[in-house]
Amino acid sequence: MATSVWKGHLTFGLVSIPIRLFAAARSERISLNQLHKVCHSRVRQPQFCPVCNRSIERSEIIKGYEYEKDQYVLFTEEELDKLDPPSARTMEILQFVKLDDVDPLYFDASYYATPEDAGKKAYQLLLSAMEESGHAAIAKLYMHQREYIVVIRPRAHGLTIHTMYYADEIRSVSEYGQKDGAEPKEQERKLALQLIESLSAPFEPQKYRDEYRESLRAMITAKLKGQEVAAAPHPQLAPVVDLMEALKKSLAGKAGKQAPVEMKPPMRAVPEPAPARKRAGKRSAG
């Protein structure tokens, strides 16, 4: 059974819904450990105090904010607990918005919100009202020692919650959005629209895979069997000199392609050839 990451109440107006939050997604990756090159022992990173010159226990650790070089304001866990805002236990809906008005740039992590038994009717009421109105909700949520602004939206007969970045956390880049006089020609624009149309299809997330993770898994399997692994081929890309010509070739290539075939992982195991003496020995033994 999945473990909930937050338990409390979702409120809108005077309606209170007891809910739990469960992580809706998580990154899948293959972790590689750091080893000592000489003896292949795993490198450890103990908690170490350089002044006392010894390893310390987790119970000996407190938190501090460095306001000047090597000068800290100290906090105990009890003091930090006093700062817990109301959103630590109650997620109050502050307003309803159209989801299209929320820039996906603000989205962070996703969670499923499920109701406790006592809140199922109110949960379904809120869900159906949001589905019918086409609105999402904005609320605040405190967990993992951080207060988030969240967007709540109906999805697949349930409520999904997305933590979001605050406006002051969104970074700006001066070069972003600058046209610098590079205006495309009308014919180039038309060809680009044709290329987009030719590549358009419904979004099917199951079609896409982490090819690096698959290649790494193949390499691990091959190494365990004493096999070599061939490197993945990389296309040689050249700068586009004639934009019109590149667009035309792209469209021509797209039109000539057959139905897409699912690609296999780029890494492939190649068995090492056996030494000549051993092969000869095996033949004579037969």
Side-chain angles (χ1 to χ4, degrees):
M1 183 177 179
T3 302
S4 60
V5 297
W6 187 87
K7 177 182 178 182
H9 288 79
L10 172 62
T11 67
F12 68 111
L14 298 178
V15 180
S16 178
I17 310 169
I19 64 168
R20 291 176 181 266
L21 296 188
F22 297 85
R26 67 177 182 183
S27 297
E28 293 290 344
R29 63 187 66 188
I30 298 174
S31 298
L32 301 178
N33 296 312
Q34 291 185 323
L35 307 178
H36 185 197
K37 187 176 182 179
V38 176
C39 64
H40 298 172
S41 298
R42 186 169 176 176
V43 178
R44 297 180 179 178
Q45 297 178 341
Q47 304 284 358
F48 185 82
C49 176
V51 176
C52 299
N53 195 30
R54 67 177 179 86
S55 297
I56 59 176
E57 300 295 330
R58 188 171 296 275
S59 60
E60 299 178 79
I61 297 175
I62 60 174
K63 295 180 179 179
Y65 173 78
E66 187 176 28
Y67 63 93
E68 290 182 4
K69 179 64 175 176
D70 296 329
Q71 298 296 313
Y72 298 89
V73 178
L74 304 179
F75 299 94
T76 64
E77 290 296 334
E78 292 75 16
E79 288 174 326
L80 292 174
D81 287 343
K82 294 178 182 178
L83 301 178
D84 286 0
S87 57
R89 297 172 182 82
T90 302
M91 195 189 322
E92 180 185 2
I93 292 177
L94 305 174
Q95 70 177 100
F96 290 94
V97 299
K98 292 293 186 180
L99 191 58
D100 289 345
D101 292 342
V102 182
D103 189 337
L105 186 67
Y106 286 84
F107 286 6
D108 184 13
S110 303
Y111 299 88
Y112 297 131
T114 63
E116 304 282 21
D117 289 341
K120 287 185 175 180
K121 185 175 181 179
Y123 180 95
Q124 289 300 326
L125 173 64
L126 176 61
L127 172 62
S128 61
M130 291 176 67
E131 287 176 331
E132 186 174 343
S133 68
H135 280 81
I138 301 296
K140 276 193 170 184
L141 166 67
Y142 175 84
M143 65 178 179
H144 308 321
Q145 295 187 330
R146 173 178 167 87
E147 187 173 47
Y148 297 92
I149 189 74
V150 301
V151 61
I152 307 168
R153 67 182 180 96
R155 175 192 174 276
H157 310 299
L159 292 176
T160 303
I161 292 177
H162 305 276
T163 56
M164 297 195 298
Y165 295 106
Y166 286 96
D168 62 357
E169 294 177 313
I170 301 298
R171 300 292 179 254
S172 60
V173 177
S174 59
E175 298 85 355
Y176 180 77
Q178 299 297 322
K179 293 184 178 181
D180 296 328
E183 290 292 338
K185 298 176 182 178
E186 180 62 20
Q187 187 61 27
E188 293 170 341
R189 188 185 66 83
K190 289 181 179 179
L191 286 175
L193 288 172
Q194 291 179 36
L195 182 56
I196 290 174
E197 185 62 31
S198 69
L199 291 170
S200 296
F203 177 57
E204 300 175 39
Q206 65 274 12
K207 288 169 49 177
Y208 306 99
R209 312 184 322 274
D210 184 344
E211 294 184 9
Y212 175 78
R213 177 157 50 98
E214 293 179 356
S215 299
L216 182 56
R217 186 176 288 118
M219 177 179 281
I220 292 170
T221 302
K223 279 182 166 288
L224 287 172
K225 294 179 179 179
Q227 299 172 337
E228 293 181 346
V229 176
H234 288 268
Q236 299 295 320
L237 300 178
V240 175
V241 178
D242 189 331
L243 187 57
M244 281 288 292
E245 188 64 23
L247 288 167
K248 289 178 180 178
K249 287 183 178 180
S250 298
L251 282 167
K254 178 63 180 175
K257 282 187 178 179
Q258 302 296 322
V261 179
E262 185 176 359
M263 294 182 64
K264 295 182 179 179
M267 290 290 188
R268 59 189 187 278
V270 180
E272 291 181 343
R277 291 180 182 176
K278 288 187 178 181
R279 290 202 300 270
K282 286 182 179 179
R283 286 197 297 269
S284 61

